[in-house]
Every structure is written in structure tokens, then in C-alpha cells.
Amino acid sequence: MTTAEPVHERTAKQSPRHVMLAASFGGHWKQLMVIDRLLDGDSRRLSYVSTSPEIPPEAAGADYYRVTDCNAGERLNALRCLGGSLRLMLRLRPDLLITTGALPGLLLALAAKLTGTRVIWIDSVANAEELSSSGRMAARFVDLCCTQWPHLANDDSNKGPVYLGSVL
């Protein structure tokens, strides 16, 4: 990142044709679905990734993919999730990944960056005191890292996280 313009302005310049939305199922998924409604009616191709073994109602009739659920204490499942994420990114090659996180979202973000996909990380609104551990890791490599709490934003938007508002 050699330019002085903020990351969120650079990320918005190129319009992605295929947007992948990804989150662990539960609260992260619900926040992601708020973002999904903002994209409703958009001409972009949308695909969804989560940890739910069943297609969530919001993704019915759309391209839905499942990755292995995992947390920091489940190293084998985390490796399975990362492997599945890499295969998925290599096969689909989305232009942009938007994720609201948890560890499966972080591993998808890592796989996305390794395969040349731009990534927007939106840390969960539940993390009001500090960024989540996944969010802190994601901030190091994603194209845009957002917090939903203004007091957690970094004044230097090239080093994230930035506050662009709350999803909820």
C-alpha cells in the first residue's frame, strides 16, 4: 500500500462482479444478512459461505457453500476449514469477499488473499471493548478492516480498523 489515500476509498474504486459473503452461522451470519439486504437487487453475482450444514433460508436458491466450523481450540477442524476455503477460492475466484467473521471467516479471508481476492472484514458488533482476536489478525492482511464501534477505529485508515457505521 504505497498511496496515501485511505484503504476504503481504494477498495471501492473497482466494482466487483462476483461478491462472496461469508460468516460463521449464528450472530455473525445475521449481521452479514443485513449487508446482504444492502446488496439486494444489485447486478453482481452473490455467493454465500457459512458453517451451517443446511442452507440458511436467506441463501435459498443462491450459490451456497459450507466450510468446516472451527474455533481456536480445534486445530484439526481449523485445518479442514482452511483447506476447504482454499479449494473454494481456487474454484470460484470471487472478486471480493465480505466477512463478518469468527475463525472460519478469518480462514476464508486468508484463503481469499492467497488467491488474489480482495477482502473486507467487518468485526462483530458484539466486540465493543476491543477487536475480536480474529479481527486483530485480519486487520494485518485484509484490504479493509471495519469495526462497528467508533472508539475502536484507528485514526490511520491505512492501518485499520476503520469505523464506517454499524451494521445493526
Side-chain angles (χ1 to χ4, degrees):
M1 295 187 204
T2 58
T3 65
E5 78 185 298
V7 150
H8 58 278
E9 288 177 19
R10 286 197 309 271
T11 304
K13 280 186 178 177
Q14 300 167 342
S15 181
R17 294 175 306 283
H18 178 191
V19 177
M20 179 178 281
L21 302 170
S24 295
F25 198 69
H28 292 278
W29 179 261
K30 288 180 182 184
Q31 289 180 58
L32 188 67
M33 291 302 97
V34 173
I35 296 164
D36 179 49
R37 286 192 292 275
L38 296 174
L39 298 172
D40 192 31
D42 197 299
S43 62
R44 294 175 179 94
R45 174 181 170 210
L46 296 177
S47 57
Y48 302 87
V49 182
S50 189
T51 55
S52 175
E54 312 213 348
I55 298 174
E58 302 90 350
D63 293 336
Y64 175 77
Y65 305 91
R66 179 181 179 261
V67 292
T68 303
D69 198 5
C70 59
N71 61 50
E74 300 174 329
R75 291 186 178 159
L76 185 56
N77 281 346
L79 284 173
R80 287 182 181 130
C81 181
L82 179 59
S85 297
L86 276 168
R87 284 189 299 278
L88 191 61
M89 290 297 164
L90 286 168
R91 190 174 82 206
L92 298 178
R93 299 284 184 168
D95 299 301
L96 175 66
L97 170 72
I98 301 173
T99 181
T100 52
L103 184 55
L106 176 66
L107 297 173
L108 275 159
L110 178 59
K113 290 307 296 176
L114 289 172
T115 58
T117 298
R118 291 180 295 153
V119 178
I120 297 174
W121 175 277
I122 302 169
D123 212 45
S124 174
V125 73
N127 299 307
E129 300 301 318
E130 63 182 0
L131 280 184
S132 66
S133 57
S134 292
R136 286 191 302 275
M137 286 185 250
R140 296 177 183 156
F141 66 87
V142 300
D143 298 283
L144 177 61
C145 180
C146 300
T147 176
Q148 296 187 60
W149 297 99
H151 64 278
L152 296 181
N154 187 331
D155 290 335
D156 181 356
S157 61
N158 282 320
K159 298 187 192 282
V162 297
Y163 174 76
L164 300 175
S166 177
V167 170
L168 299 179

Coordinates of all heavy atoms in Angstrom, one line a residue, residues 21-39 48-50 56 58 98-102 120-128 131-132 146-149 152 163 165-168:
L21 N -20.2 -13.6 0.2 CA -20.5 -13.2 1.6 C -20.3 -14.4 2.5 O -20.8 -15.5 2.2 CB -21.9 -12.8 1.7 CG -22.3 -11.6 0.8 CD1 -23.8 -11.3 0.8 CD2 -21.6 -10.3 1.2
A22 N -19.5 -14.3 3.6 CA -19.2 -15.4 4.4 C -19.2 -15.1 5.9 O -18.7 -14.0 6.3 CB -17.8 -15.9 4.0
A23 N -19.7 -16.0 6.7 CA -19.7 -15.8 8.1 C -20.0 -17.2 8.8 O -20.7 -18.0 8.2 CB -20.7 -14.8 8.5
S24 N -19.5 -17.3 10.0 CA -20.0 -18.4 10.8 C -21.5 -18.3 11.1 O -22.0 -17.2 11.1 CB -19.3 -18.4 12.2 OG -17.9 -18.6 12.0
F25 N -22.1 -19.4 11.2 CA -23.6 -19.4 11.4 C -23.9 -18.9 12.8 O -23.2 -19.2 13.7 CB -24.2 -20.7 11.1 CG -25.7 -20.7 10.9 CD1 -26.1 -20.1 9.7 CD2 -26.6 -21.1 11.8 CE1 -27.5 -20.0 9.4 CE2 -28.0 -21.0 11.5 CZ -28.4 -20.4 10.4
G26 N -25.0 -18.1 12.9 CA -25.4 -17.5 14.2 C -25.4 -16.0 14.1 O -25.8 -15.5 13.1
G27 N -24.9 -15.4 15.1 CA -24.9 -13.9 15.1 C -24.1 -13.3 14.0 O -24.4 -12.2 13.5
H28 N -22.9 -13.9 13.7 CA -22.1 -13.4 12.6 C -22.9 -13.4 11.3 O -22.9 -12.5 10.5 CB -20.8 -14.2 12.4 CG -19.9 -14.0 13.6 ND1 -19.0 -13.0 13.7 CD2 -19.7 -14.8 14.7 CE1 -18.3 -13.1 14.8 NE2 -18.7 -14.2 15.4
W29 N -23.6 -14.5 11.0 CA -24.5 -14.7 9.8 C -25.6 -13.6 9.8 O -25.8 -13.0 8.8 CB -25.0 -16.1 9.8 CG -25.9 -16.3 8.6 CD1 -27.3 -16.3 8.6 CD2 -25.5 -16.6 7.3 NE1 -27.7 -16.5 7.3 CE2 -26.7 -16.8 6.5 CE3 -24.3 -16.8 6.7 CZ2 -26.6 -17.1 5.1 CZ3 -24.2 -17.1 5.3 CH2 -25.4 -17.2 4.6
K30 N -26.2 -13.4 11.0 CA -27.3 -12.4 11.0 C -26.8 -11.0 10.6 O -27.5 -10.3 9.9 CB -28.0 -12.4 12.4 CG -28.8 -13.6 12.6 CD -29.5 -13.6 14.0 CE -30.2 -14.9 14.1 NZ -31.0 -15.0 15.3
Q31 N -25.6 -10.6 11.1 CA -25.1 -9.3 10.7 C -24.7 -9.3 9.2 O -25.0 -8.3 8.6 CB -23.8 -9.1 11.6 CG -24.1 -8.8 13.0 CD -22.9 -8.5 13.8 OE1 -22.1 -7.6 13.5 NE2 -22.7 -9.3 14.9
L32 N -24.2 -10.4 8.7 CA -23.9 -10.5 7.3 C -25.2 -10.3 6.4 O -25.1 -9.7 5.4 CB -23.2 -11.8 7.0 CG -22.6 -11.9 5.6 CD1 -21.5 -10.9 5.4 CD2 -22.1 -13.3 5.3
M33 N -26.3 -10.8 6.9 CA -27.5 -10.8 6.2 C -28.1 -9.3 6.1 O -28.8 -9.0 5.2 CB -28.6 -11.7 6.7 CG -28.2 -13.2 6.5 SD -28.0 -13.6 4.7 CE -26.2 -13.5 4.5
V34 N -27.7 -8.5 7.0 CA -28.0 -7.1 7.0 C -27.3 -6.4 5.8 O -27.8 -5.7 5.0 CB -27.7 -6.3 8.3 CG1 -27.9 -4.8 8.1 CG2 -28.6 -6.9 9.4
I35 N -26.0 -6.8 5.6 CA -25.2 -6.3 4.5 C -25.8 -6.9 3.2 O -25.9 -6.2 2.2 CB -23.7 -6.7 4.7 CG1 -23.2 -6.0 5.9 CG2 -22.9 -6.4 3.4 CD1 -21.9 -6.6 6.4
D36 N -26.2 -8.1 3.2 CA -26.8 -8.8 2.0 C -28.0 -8.0 1.5 O -28.2 -7.8 0.3 CB -27.2 -10.2 2.4 CG -27.8 -10.9 1.2 OD1 -27.3 -10.9 0.1 OD2 -28.9 -11.5 1.4
R37 N -28.8 -7.5 2.5 CA -30.0 -6.7 2.1 C -29.6 -5.4 1.4 O -30.3 -4.9 0.5 CB -30.9 -6.4 3.3 CG -31.7 -7.7 3.7 CD -32.8 -7.3 4.7 NE -32.3 -6.9 6.0 CZ -31.9 -7.7 7.0 NH1 -32.0 -9.0 6.9 NH2 -31.5 -7.1 8.2
L38 N -28.5 -4.9 1.7 CA -28.0 -3.7 1.1 C -27.6 -3.9 -0.4 O -27.6 -3.1 -1.2 CB -26.8 -3.1 1.8 CG -27.1 -2.6 3.3 CD1 -25.8 -2.2 3.9 CD2 -28.1 -1.4 3.2
L39 N -27.2 -5.2 -0.6 CA -26.8 -5.6 -2.0 C -27.9 -6.1 -2.8 O -27.8 -6.4 -4.0 CB -25.7 -6.6 -1.9 CG -24.4 -6.2 -1.3 CD1 -23.4 -7.4 -1.1 CD2 -23.7 -5.1 -2.0
Y48 N -22.7 -17.4 -1.1 CA -22.7 -17.4 0.3 C -21.9 -18.6 0.8 O -22.0 -19.7 0.3 CB -24.2 -17.5 0.8 CG -25.0 -16.4 0.3 CD1 -25.7 -16.5 -0.9 CD2 -25.2 -15.2 1.1 CE1 -26.5 -15.5 -1.3 CE2 -26.0 -14.2 0.6 CZ -26.7 -14.3 -0.6 OH -27.4 -13.3 -1.0
V49 N -21.2 -18.3 1.9 CA -20.4 -19.4 2.6 C -20.7 -19.3 4.1 O -20.6 -18.2 4.7 CB -18.9 -19.2 2.4 CG1 -18.2 -20.4 3.0 CG2 -18.6 -19.2 0.9
S50 N -21.0 -20.4 4.7 CA -21.2 -20.5 6.2 C -20.8 -21.8 6.7 O -20.4 -22.7 5.9 CB -22.6 -20.1 6.6 OG -22.7 -19.9 8.0
P56 N -29.1 -21.9 4.8 CA -30.0 -21.0 5.5 C -31.0 -20.4 4.6 O -30.8 -20.3 3.4 CB -29.0 -19.9 5.9 CG -27.6 -20.5 5.8 CD -27.7 -21.5 4.7
E58 N -32.0 -17.5 4.0 CA -31.6 -16.3 3.3 C -30.8 -16.7 2.0 O -30.7 -15.9 1.1 CB -30.7 -15.4 4.2 CG -31.4 -14.9 5.4 CD -31.2 -15.9 6.6 OE1 -30.6 -17.0 6.4 OE2 -31.5 -15.5 7.7
I98 N -16.6 -10.5 1.5 CA -17.1 -9.7 2.7 C -17.4 -10.7 3.8 O -18.2 -11.6 3.6 CB -18.3 -8.9 2.4 CG1 -18.0 -7.9 1.2 CG2 -18.7 -8.1 3.6 CD1 -19.3 -7.2 0.7
T99 N -16.7 -10.5 4.9 CA -17.0 -11.5 6.0 C -17.2 -10.7 7.3 O -16.5 -9.7 7.6 CB -15.9 -12.5 6.2 OG1 -16.2 -13.4 7.3 CG2 -14.5 -11.9 6.4
T100 N -18.1 -11.2 8.2 CA -18.3 -10.7 9.5 C -17.6 -11.6 10.5 O -17.8 -11.4 11.7 CB -19.8 -10.5 9.8 OG1 -20.4 -11.7 9.5 CG2 -20.4 -9.4 9.0
G101 N -16.9 -12.6 10.0 CA -16.0 -13.2 10.9 C -16.3 -14.5 11.6 O -17.1 -15.3 11.1
A102 N -15.7 -14.6 12.7 CA -15.3 -15.8 13.5 C -14.2 -16.5 12.8 O -13.8 -16.1 11.7 CB -16.5 -16.7 13.9
I120 N -13.0 -7.7 2.6 CA -13.5 -6.7 3.6 C -13.9 -7.5 4.8 O -14.7 -8.4 4.8 CB -14.7 -5.9 3.1 CG1 -14.3 -5.1 1.8 CG2 -15.3 -5.0 4.2 CD1 -15.5 -4.4 1.2
W121 N -13.3 -7.1 5.9 CA -13.6 -7.7 7.2 C -14.4 -6.7 8.0 O -14.0 -5.6 8.2 CB -12.3 -8.1 8.0 CG -12.5 -8.6 9.4 CD1 -12.8 -7.9 10.5 CD2 -12.6 -10.0 9.8 NE1 -13.0 -8.7 11.6 CE2 -12.9 -10.0 11.1 CE3 -12.4 -11.2 9.1 CZ2 -12.9 -11.2 11.8 CZ3 -12.5 -12.3 9.8 CH2 -12.8 -12.4 11.1
I122 N -15.6 -7.2 8.6 CA -16.4 -6.4 9.4 C -16.5 -7.1 10.8 O -17.1 -8.1 10.9 CB -17.8 -6.1 8.8 CG1 -17.7 -5.5 7.4 CG2 -18.6 -5.3 9.8 CD1 -18.9 -5.5 6.6
D123 N -15.8 -6.5 11.8 CA -15.8 -7.2 13.1 C -17.1 -7.1 13.7 O -17.9 -6.1 13.5 CB -14.7 -6.5 14.0 CG -14.1 -7.5 14.9 OD1 -13.7 -8.6 14.5 OD2 -14.0 -7.1 16.1
S124 N -17.5 -8.1 14.4 CA -18.8 -8.2 15.0 C -19.1 -7.1 16.0 O -18.3 -6.6 16.7 CB -18.9 -9.6 15.8 OG -20.2 -9.6 16.5
V125 N -20.4 -6.7 16.0 CA -20.8 -5.6 16.9 C -20.7 -6.1 18.3 O -20.7 -5.2 19.2 CB -22.3 -5.2 16.5 CG1 -23.3 -6.2 16.9 CG2 -22.6 -3.8 17.1
A126 N -20.6 -7.4 18.6 CA -20.5 -7.9 19.9 C -19.2 -7.5 20.6 O -19.0 -7.5 21.8 CB -20.7 -9.4 19.9
N127 N -18.2 -7.1 19.8 CA -16.9 -6.8 20.3 C -16.8 -5.3 20.5 O -16.2 -4.6 19.8 CB -15.8 -7.3 19.3 CG -15.9 -8.8 19.1 OD1 -15.8 -9.5 20.0 ND2 -16.0 -9.2 17.8
A128 N -17.4 -4.9 21.6 CA -17.5 -3.5 21.9 C -16.2 -2.9 22.7 O -15.9 -1.7 22.6 CB -18.7 -3.2 22.8
L131 N -11.3 -5.3 19.4 CA -11.5 -6.1 18.2 C -11.4 -7.6 18.7 O -10.7 -7.9 19.6 CB -10.4 -5.9 17.1 CG -10.5 -4.7 16.2 CD1 -9.4 -4.8 15.2 CD2 -11.9 -4.7 15.5
S132 N -12.1 -8.4 18.0 CA -12.0 -9.9 18.3 C -10.6 -10.3 17.9 O -9.9 -9.6 17.2 CB -13.0 -10.6 17.4 OG -12.7 -10.5 16.0
C146 N -13.1 -3.2 9.2 CA -14.0 -2.3 9.8 C -14.4 -2.7 11.2 O -14.5 -3.9 11.5 CB -15.3 -2.2 9.0 SG -15.1 -1.7 7.3
T147 N -14.6 -1.8 12.1 CA -15.2 -2.0 13.4 C -16.5 -1.3 13.4 O -16.8 -0.4 12.7 CB -14.3 -1.5 14.5 OG1 -14.9 -1.6 15.8 CG2 -14.0 0.0 14.3
Q148 N -17.4 -1.8 14.2 CA -18.7 -1.2 14.4 C -18.8 -0.3 15.6 O -19.9 0.1 15.9 CB -19.8 -2.3 14.4 CG -19.8 -3.2 13.1 CD -21.0 -4.1 13.1 OE1 -22.1 -3.7 13.2 NE2 -20.7 -5.4 13.0
W149 N -17.7 0.0 16.1 CA -17.6 0.9 17.3 C -16.6 2.0 17.0 O -15.4 1.7 16.8 CB -17.2 0.1 18.6 CG -18.2 -1.0 18.9 CD1 -18.1 -2.3 18.6 CD2 -19.4 -0.8 19.6 NE1 -19.2 -2.9 19.1 CE2 -20.1 -2.0 19.7 CE3 -20.1 0.4 20.2 CZ2 -21.3 -2.2 20.3 CZ3 -21.3 0.2 20.8 CH2 -21.9 -1.1 20.9
L152 N -13.1 2.1 18.6 CA -12.1 1.1 18.3 C -11.4 1.4 17.0 O -10.5 0.7 16.6 CB -12.8 -0.3 18.2 CG -13.3 -0.8 19.5 CD1 -13.9 -2.2 19.3 CD2 -12.3 -0.8 20.6
Y163 N -14.0 2.9 11.1 CA -15.4 2.9 11.5 C -16.2 3.6 10.4 O -15.9 4.7 10.0 CB -15.6 3.7 12.8 CG -17.1 3.9 13.2 CD1 -17.8 2.8 13.7 CD2 -17.7 5.1 13.0 CE1 -19.1 2.9 14.0 CE2 -19.0 5.2 13.3 CZ -19.7 4.1 13.8 OH -21.1 4.3 14.1
G165 N -19.6 3.0 10.3 CA -21.0 2.9 10.8 C -21.2 1.5 11.4 O -20.4 0.6 11.3
S166 N -22.4 1.3 11.9 CA -22.8 0.0 12.5 C -23.7 -0.8 11.5 O -24.6 -0.2 10.9 CB -23.5 0.2 13.8 OG -23.9 -1.0 14.3
V167 N -23.5 -2.1 11.5 CA -24.4 -2.9 10.6 C -25.8 -2.9 11.2 O -26.8 -2.9 10.5 CB -23.8 -4.3 10.5 CG1 -24.8 -5.3 9.8 CG2 -22.5 -4.3 9.7
L168 N -25.9 -3.0 12.5 CA -27.2 -3.2 13.1 C -27.9 -1.9 13.5 O -27.7 -0.9 13.6 CB -27.1 -4.1 14.4 CG -26.6 -5.5 14.1 CD1 -26.5 -6.3 15.4 CD2 -27.5 -6.2 13.2

